[in-house]
Amino acid sequence: MAVIVALGAFLMTLAGGWTAQRVTDRRHLVLGLAGGLMLGVVGLDLLPEAMRAAGHEVFGVPLALLLFVAGFLVAHVVERVLAVRQAAHGGENGSGHGEHGGRVPQVGLTAAGAMVGHSLADGVALGAAFQVGGGMGVAVALAVITHDFADGFNTYTLTSLYGNARRKALMMLFADAVAPVVGAASTLLFTLPEEPLGGYLGFFAGILLYLASAEILPEAHHRHPALSTLMCTVGGVAGIWLVVGLAD
């Protein structure tokens, strides 16, 4: 049953990616919505779940929050190191900006890879929930299927925003769509302990927050500081809140 439900998540992920690539003439709105979806997923979905699963303290701070900060810092350090390396190898043009506004394509692929890892964890959580019971499985299935639309949307947006070719963006989108199916199927063989899963979710939340606050939202408002872009961001957060509320 979990694998069948995961196929629904597969379709929803592809639908989210398709939506992101079809509205390129409203790129600022796409980025504004993506930033809102990412903020909503971080604050209303990932962090609460991480705190529940890995909430014990390490030197006075919950483990999930330590890993959350670590994820933010790792994303920042990786991006800066790659940017410096690209500049050292002549990756900047005469105006002092990189080919894609100073963004490094590898960062986009790394971020999309993290989204794939998150979707894989979603599939594992889905399979584990059905092992607990049908009611729990249905609740988790609702959450996974509905927010996988946002995952697909963000995966395609992140990959393409950093200057990767459309082919690579589609490859990462497909990998993100397949991941929950693989994760759900894996629970037929083993069950992932709750605490490591919670730690991963906290770390991944930090990465997403960095990308949303330092990259996605500034880019969305850079050339189009419009009220409509802001409303897309707020709408993205509200949409995730609705999904989380319905799932609970």
Side-chain angles (χ1 to χ4, degrees), residues 38 42 66-84 102-104 106-108 110-112 114 158 162 202-215:
M38 291 166 72
V42 168
L66 282 175
L67 290 171
F68 170 71
V69 174
F72 188 99
L73 291 176
V74 166
H76 177 57
V77 170
V78 168
E79 185 186 39
R80 290 299 89 205
V81 168
L82 290 175
V84 169
R103 291 183 171 84
V104 185
Q106 292 91 330
V107 173
T110 301
L158 283 170
Y162 281 83
F203 185 80
F204 177 61
I207 294 175
L208 277 191
L209 180 63
Y210 176 80
L211 294 173
S213 60
E215 299 293 335

Side-chain angles (χ1 to χ4, degrees), residues 25-174:
D25 58 330
R26 293 289 185 268
R27 185 168 178 268
H28 59 291
L29 298 179
V30 170
L31 293 175
L33 178 60
L37 291 172
M38 291 166 72
L39 288 175
V41 167
V42 168
L44 307 177
D45 186 15
L46 293 180
L47 271 182
E49 183 60 34
M51 290 291 292
R52 283 192 291 267
H56 76 270
E57 294 187 353
V58 177
F59 205 63
V61 179
L63 175 62
L65 292 184
L66 282 175
L67 290 171
F68 170 71
V69 174
F72 188 99
L73 291 176
V74 166
H76 177 57
V77 170
V78 168
E79 185 186 39
R80 290 299 89 205
V81 168
L82 290 175
V84 169
R85 181 175 299 176
Q86 184 188 48
H89 287 80
E92 292 186 336
N93 57 33
S95 64
H97 296 283
E99 182 181 356
H100 305 290
R103 291 183 171 84
V104 185
Q106 292 91 330
V107 173
L109 291 175
T110 301
M115 295 294 295
V116 173
H118 170 54
S119 293
L120 185 66
D122 277 350
V124 172
L126 181 61
F130 272 100
Q131 289 179 359
V132 172
M136 174 68 72
V138 170
V140 174
L142 177 62
V144 168
I145 289 177
T146 49
H147 95 250
D148 269 2
F149 180 88
D151 284 353
F153 190 98
N154 290 334
T155 298
Y156 186 90
T157 301
L158 283 170
T159 308
S160 57
L161 175 66
Y162 281 83
N164 290 285
R166 182 173 180 270
R167 177 180 59 85
K168 290 185 177 180
L170 290 175
M171 286 176 55
M172 296 308 298
L173 173 63
F174 183 76

Side-chain angles (χ1 to χ4, degrees), residues 40 44-45 143 239-248:
L44 307 177
D45 186 15
I240 295 298
W241 187 14
L242 177 63
V243 168
V244 172
L246 290 175
D248 288 342

